[in-house]
Amino acid sequence: MQAAVVTSFGTPPTYQDFPTPTPQAPDEVLVDVLAAGLHPRVRSQANGSHYTSSDQLPLVPGIDGVGRAPDGTLRYFILPDTTMGAMAEQTVVDLRRSVELPEHSDPVLIAAAMNPAMSSWLALRRRITFHPGQSVLVLAATGNAGQMAVQIAKHLGASQVIGAGRQPERLASLTELGADVTVSLDGDPADVARRLGQAARDVDIVIDYLWGQPTADAIRAIVMNRTDAGRPLTWIQVGSVAGPTAAIPSAALRAARLQIVGSGQGSVPTRDIVTELPELAAEIGNGTFRIDARTVPLSDVEAAWKDRESDQRIVITADAPAHQ
Ligand SMILES: NC(=O)c1ccc[n+]([C@@H]2O[C@H](COP(=O)([O-])OP(=O)(O)OC[C@H]3O[C@@H](n4cnc5c(N)ncnc54)[C@H](OP(=O)(O)O)[C@@H]3O)[C@@H](O)[C@H]2O)c1
């Protein structure tokens, strides 16, 4: 079969022949892959930088996707940490880590949206106790996961959603997705801190895709401006597009009722993730959330990898091989 194959962590995957995998356990099946998302997590899997990376090569990247199972059902699946990923004509899926989709589902939409949507869906539903009526700030709301977070926070009952990001056009479009307020993260850090300190000082929950220096600055700005220092502030660390480490001032943890938690693979148990899949897939399938996606055929995977400029979520599509 054909697959996207990584042979060196320094170079993008290439389209080439790869042995068809075989199911090894009773719950495993070989699926014909229809669509697999090129998420930031997949890029870090393919360049060996993700915290779950095992350094094993060659590997086929892709952590999730939509495929056709041998019984004819359409399924969204999440793969375990494996070198046999989703960006191939076929892959092995554990049925317990998959959900059957209605036949009319759009594989591209599901493959594009599930991963970015899951980041905030799981954070709010499984990692913390979120109450409808609480307010939510999304940092890096202009990214794919951030735009989902704005929509999901609103959908789950947030009283106010504040979207913060850099790119002006995307920032402006967040109001159409449900943001009540937007804050620009562009420009002088002191000005950004002032804007956040005003707009988000009394927020209840932060969904943070940034980390790095912008997060350290944002924590200081919000904590120092709180109307009521005793009001709980739950900071959920979900992504790190601005840096892997952040220097959080110790005073911030003493001066306000701030707690910082992380949400991702590991801190949310696999069983919780799997439990949430059907409802989230149904909402996405019903068109509850919007995502801007673009398809690229598997044969062009190398070019897709080199395209870092597009804001759209790239979805790799495969034609199933002819069955013998
Ligand atoms: N923990 C989880 O469960 C989970 C799940 C999915 C994703 N994630 C993580 O979440 C992060 C975002 O994913 P994504 O799918 O939204 O990626 P994405 O679509 O590539 O968006 C990332 C956004 O980050 C913004 N950005 C980058 N560097 C920045 C900086 N220095 N300061 C401010 N904004 C910056 C950019 O917005 P502007 O153009 O406005 O600057 C960009 O649109 C990634 O780290 C991903 O690995 C985590």
Side-chain angles (χ1 to χ4, degrees), residues 7-8 10 29 55 73 81 112 121 131 137 139 176 188 213 272 316 321:
T7 50
S8 145
V29 294
D55 292 344
T73 54
D81 295 330
W121 183 274
H131 301 291
L137 165 67
L139 289 176
E176 289 163 32
D188 180 53
Q213 190 59 43
D272 286 11
I316 303 294

Side-chain angles (χ1 to χ4, degrees), residues 33-312:
V33 179
L34 301 174
L38 176 39
H39 316 298
R41 165 77 176 79
V42 178
R43 287 186 185 277
S44 60
Q45 173 195 33
N47 67 24
S49 67
H50 195 259
Y51 62 87
T52 59
S53 179
S54 71
D55 292 344
Q56 224 181 310
L57 290 175
L59 76 79
V60 173
I63 56 166
D64 68 346
V66 175
R68 182 78 63 189
D71 66 358
T73 54
L74 194 62
R75 305 194 81 88
Y76 169 75
F77 57 85
I78 298 182
L79 298 175
D81 295 330
T82 172
T83 51
M84 184 58 239
M87 293 188 175
E89 288 176 323
Q90 293 176 299
T91 196
V92 170
V93 166
D94 183 333
L95 288 172
R96 295 167 300 177
R97 298 168 68 106
S98 75
V99 54
E100 185 177 344
L101 300 169
E103 195 47 40
H104 64 264
S105 304
D106 176 354
V108 171
L109 175 67
I110 300 281
M114 282 297 278
N115 171 268
M118 240 183 297
S119 63
S120 52
W121 183 274
L122 293 174
L124 293 177
R125 285 171 61 103
R126 291 283 165 172
R127 191 61 182 90
I128 67 165
T129 306
F130 170 71
H131 301 291
Q134 290 183 307
S135 55
V136 176
L137 165 67
V138 180
L139 289 176
T142 42
N144 284 291
Q147 291 174 72
M148 278 289 171
V150 166
Q151 299 174 75
I152 285 170
K154 206 69 189 184
H155 176 75
L156 295 178
S159 58
Q160 187 194 38
V161 177
I162 305 164
R166 293 188 304 192
Q167 202 195 100
E169 278 168 24
R170 282 238 165 169
L171 192 61
S173 71
L174 293 178
T175 46
E176 289 163 32
L177 300 180
D180 302 284
V181 178
T182 59
V183 178
S184 172
L185 297 178
D186 206 11
D188 180 53
D191 292 335
V192 172
R194 192 177 34 75
R195 290 194 285 271
L196 280 175
Q198 280 170 5
R201 78 177 119 208
D202 292 324
V203 76
D204 298 308
I205 290 154
V206 180
I207 301 177
D208 181 6
Y209 295 98
L210 286 175
W211 212 240
Q213 190 59 43
T215 286
D217 293 346
I219 287 180
R220 196 178 292 110
I222 291 171
V223 160
M224 297 311 173
N225 284 289
R226 255 164 130 66
T227 309
D228 173 6
R231 179 179 182 141
L233 170 60
T234 305
W235 203 282
I236 319 177
Q237 204 298 309
V238 186
S240 46
V241 291
T245 58
I248 311 300
S250 62
L253 290 154
R254 296 193 299 271
R257 209 169 164 76
L258 167 67
Q259 66 168 335
I260 304 175
V261 301
S263 181
Q265 199 181 340
S267 54
V268 180
T270 302
R271 66 174 176 280
D272 286 11
I273 297 175
V274 170
T275 306
E276 292 294 331
L277 291 182
E279 192 173 337
L280 181 56
E283 294 291 358
I284 291 170
N286 290 338
T288 308
F289 310 124
R290 270 169 43 191
I291 186 159
D292 198 5
R294 175 164 73 85
T295 59
V296 174
L298 181 62
S299 53
D300 286 342
V301 68
E302 194 175 347
W305 231 263
K306 290 175 182 162
D307 179 3
R308 307 294 303 247
E309 299 307 313
S310 170
D311 290 329
Q312 294 172 307

